[in-house]
Amino acid sequence: MNATNLVKPERTPCPVPVSPVSVTAHAVLHSADFIRPRLRASGLGRVVLHAGVQINGAPHVGTNVMQTATFLLAAAVRDRFGAEVSIRFGALDNAPYESRSCSSTGTLYERSFRHVLGAPRVGELVRRYYGGLFDALSDATGIPYDVETYTDQQSRPEFRQEFLDSLGLMDTLRWVLAPSTGTVPVSFPCPRCGWTQKHGEDTELLSADAREARFAAVCLDHGKYLVEVTPGTDTYIGLTTLHRNLVKERAAARDADALPLIVKGADWAPGCRLLDEAFLCFPGAVPPPRVFTPVVLSDSGAKLSKTLLREGTADLSAETEPWMLDATAWEGTVEEYARTLLGLGSLMLSEPRHFERGYTTREVARLIAGEPG
């Protein structure tokens, strides 16, 4: 796609989705209103929306729908409540780039995108997959944004302090973050080669208090090594998905001048039940407000995902265009792509019952084409 400045398009008529009555009918007239109680209670005039960015391959339409919805939600929060808003996207450069296993034990080791490619090439991936689109969406909505990698997030003192605080409550947290097993592993890349034990089987917590934690870990090539985590050290911290999100969200809540609003796809709702319970393990803590965006589904009803696409089990309809599976296959300009997503996202956000649901790729194609139901 060609990155050029987006000119706000004239809205074209779109067909209306046929959506069931929402359980929030009459209580919520716009999905942005989910934030109203917390915004009023906080007395704050600034809101920072937090959303995610995957860099382990080109995004599909479901990912871009979530990100477009984030810009539209931010604009709605600004316009409805008069709040100052911005968006912070977290780029997951900790995603596995390569893996190997121990020949004798089968223990799996991984190296992340950050440890294989380095910061400059990770930045290039972010710009390639999202830079032009995010700039176009920002121009159209007037909402500023920034992108921060997980590597940068975990290096901040507030993140590291929240991680240390979570260790002090782990006897309780572990049955919330992993209710089936009670095991919440932590991993640390080998300081010499960057390989890390995926499930942290041999990572041992030696000591921990409010200011410092010491661990022992094992590298397939270099054997045992020791790591120390304090708010000021540069030790790279690898956490499970729920543990990582808990620490990130608690770190975001440390900003006394802004209310954090967590934006995730609706498939995250079960996990966020556990995250909210994890927040309540901290004395006096309150989970952040959340808004869940529509997900894009295959014909089978399964969420469109890179795993299903890679496995060839996505069960896609004939109406599924190549660009829906790989945004870089869009044949037009980036402003045309942004206009398409903004029109689709605005339609979804027009009523809560249209926002609180999923859409198959077949339905997405129909709505974009403007065909009647």
Side-chain angles (χ1 to χ4, degrees):
M1 295 185 293
N2 302 317
T4 60
N5 291 331
L6 176 69
V7 178
K8 292 184 180 180
E10 294 184 2
R11 295 290 302 278
T12 56
C14 292
V16 177
V18 179
S19 302
V21 175
S22 167
V23 296
T24 62
H26 309 300
V28 180
L29 302 181
H30 191 285
S31 293
D33 291 336
F34 283 110
I35 191 180
R36 189 191 296 268
R38 293 291 299 280
L39 189 59
R40 285 175 58 86
S42 72
L44 296 171
R46 189 163 70 92
V47 178
V48 178
L49 290 81
H50 296 263
V53 169
Q54 289 281 0
I55 66 169
N56 59 343
H60 54 68
V61 66
T63 298
N64 287 159
V65 162
M66 183 275 290
Q67 293 156 346
T68 302
T70 302
F71 278 95
L72 291 170
L73 280 166
V77 169
R78 176 197 61 200
D79 297 342
R80 294 175 77 82
F81 311 131
E84 178 186 348
V85 294
S86 61
I87 299 172
R88 177 158 295 169
F89 288 105
L92 296 176
D93 61 342
N94 58 326
Y97 183 91
E98 57 185 355
S99 61
R100 58 195 286 220
S101 59
C102 176
S103 58
S104 58
T105 65
T107 302
L108 187 63
Y109 289 78
E110 293 180 340
R111 283 208 302 171
S112 71
F113 272 72
R114 180 55 175 257
H115 289 92
V116 174
L117 302 181
R121 290 180 63 190
V122 165
E124 290 173 5
L125 282 178
V126 173
R127 288 189 293 274
R128 175 188 174 193
Y129 292 143
Y130 302 102
L133 176 62
F134 285 2
D135 287 346
L137 294 173
S138 179
D139 288 346
T141 59
I143 304 297
Y145 78 93
D146 64 77
V147 179
E148 183 180 49
T149 64
Y150 171 73
T151 297
D152 292 335
Q153 290 173 340
Q154 62 85 45
S155 70
R156 299 191 186 283
E158 56 269 26
F159 183 102
R160 307 174 88 74
Q161 186 60 64
E162 288 295 344
F163 168 66
L164 292 173
D165 292 347
S166 74
L167 294 179
L169 293 171
M170 193 51 68
D171 282 347
T172 301
L173 280 175
R174 67 193 189 95
W175 291 110
V176 178
L177 297 176
S180 295
T181 64
T183 300
V184 183
V186 179
S187 60
F188 303 94
C190 173
R192 297 175 62 182
C193 64
W195 284 96
T196 184
Q197 203 172 60
K198 177 177 175 59
H199 300 295
E201 299 95 324
D202 298 314
T203 301
E204 179 184 2
L205 176 60
L206 303 177
S207 64
D209 58 32
R211 298 298 298 171
E212 178 187 55
R214 298 176 64 250
F215 293 83
V218 176
C219 174
L220 186 57
D221 297 318
H222 302 109
K224 187 174 182 178
Y225 55 96
L226 301 177
V227 295
E228 179 183 279
V229 179
T230 73
T233 56
D234 60 358
T235 304
Y236 195 99
I237 305 171
L239 303 176
T240 61
T241 300
L242 292 178
H243 193 187
R244 181 178 69 247
N245 277 266
L246 171 66
V247 173
K248 284 167 56 177
E249 291 180 9
R250 284 187 54 80
R254 285 177 169 245
D255 185 349
D257 297 323
L259 179 69
L261 172 60
I262 310 303
V263 182
K264 293 182 180 294
D267 57 305
W268 252 96
C272 286
R273 289 204 305 262
L274 295 175
L275 282 181
D276 288 345
E277 288 190 35
F279 261 85
L280 298 178
C281 294
F282 293 81
V286 178
R290 307 180 188 279
V291 177
F292 298 103
T293 66
V295 293
V296 176
L297 312 171
S298 66
D299 267 18
S300 70
K303 172 183 173 287
L304 193 64
S305 75
K306 291 177 183 175
T307 299
L308 295 184
L309 295 175
R310 189 165 50 247
E311 294 174 349
T313 56
D315 191 20
L316 300 169
S317 67
E319 293 84 353
T320 305
E321 298 284 348
W323 65 263
M324 292 185 181
L325 312 180
D326 179 347
T328 63
W330 177 266
E331 295 182 353
T333 61
V334 70
E335 67 266 22
E336 292 168 338
Y337 186 55
R339 277 198 295 267
T340 298
L341 291 174
L342 286 167
L344 180 65
S346 296
L347 181 61
M348 293 172 171
L349 197 57
S350 62
E351 292 186 34
R353 63 183 178 141
H354 299 330
F355 203 67
E356 299 171 12
R357 54 163 289 185
Y359 293 81
T360 64
T361 54
R362 185 193 305 270
E363 179 69 354
V364 167
R366 182 185 75 83
L367 294 175
I368 289 175
E371 297 172 356

